[in-house]
Amino acid sequence: MRLDSRLGSGLQGQGRSTGSFSSNGCWPPCTLAQVIAHLVADAQTGVVDGTEIRVRRPAAHRKDRDRFVSGKTKRNAVKSMVLTDAAGRVLFCSPVQRGSCAAITQARQLGLVEFLADGPFMKILADAGYQGMGPQAGGQMATPTHHKFKWKAPTRYEESLERQRQAHSSRRIPVEHGIAHLKNWRALARRLGRREHMSDIVQAVAGLLSHQQTAPLSHGLRV
């Protein structure tokens, strides 16, 4: 797949830079610690979710061939963790992991639990894939309410639980929008090239998208 000039320049400028903050937000690639500090300083709520990018199947002779198969989609993919603010601006996009890696495992490997548990109070919204991290993160990660009944629950409880889940899902919509904007780039629709370059490509696209979301429009482009 041929990358356009903007994505090519993003890859050239990425290297091992940790990125920097603009007046309106963070330009990836930033470290997770920088993003958490930015959200804390501005008293903002973060929203986290994982996204999968389809990749080509590994060669038949590889022993770890099945490790790229996603347990959710049953397809060969790589997985990245995306963190946005409440407005849907992409602040952090992690290097990719194999598709078989669980979302909660990837978050722990990135050190999200330690950053939340050891840092000042803030709130991160996450889906059911991150259930169990709340107590470990000092109660600073909010996930959907877990079903407490082994057998059929009372109707009033089910209705209350459903309302809570819907309210939580509504607050998580910004990260879904941020991921959708990432997937609009053809380079992340489906990758047929080498999987070893996916981390660089994902973070370069995230940097370009963050710049696009935070840069003010010129007078000629304003509606």
Side-chain angles (χ1 to χ4, degrees), residues 12-13 23 34-35 47 54 56 69 73 81 85 112 115 122 129 170 183 185 220-222:
Q12 292 175 1
S23 59
Q34 287 177 311
V35 172
V47 194
R54 292 184 61 185
R56 61 183 177 85
V69 178
T73 62
M81 189 184 81
D85 59 12
L112 182 58
F115 291 136
M122 65 170 301
S170 298
K183 294 294 187 68
W185 290 72
L221 297 177
R222 289 181 179 175

Side-chain angles (χ1 to χ4, degrees), residues 43-44 74 154 172 177:
Q44 296 188 62
K74 308 302 180 184
R172 290 190 57 258
H177 291 170

Side-chain angles (χ1 to χ4, degrees), residues 58-96:
H61 63 274
R62 291 192 57 171
K63 296 181 180 180
D64 57 351
R65 189 185 190 193
D66 294 338
R67 297 185 65 182
F68 284 93
V69 178
S70 167
K72 181 178 181 180
T73 62
K74 308 302 180 184
R75 295 178 177 178
N76 290 274
V78 291
K79 189 174 297 183
S80 177
M81 189 184 81
V82 178
L83 179 62
T84 69
D85 59 12
R89 290 186 291 262
V90 176
L91 303 180
F92 176 78
C93 192
S94 73
V96 299

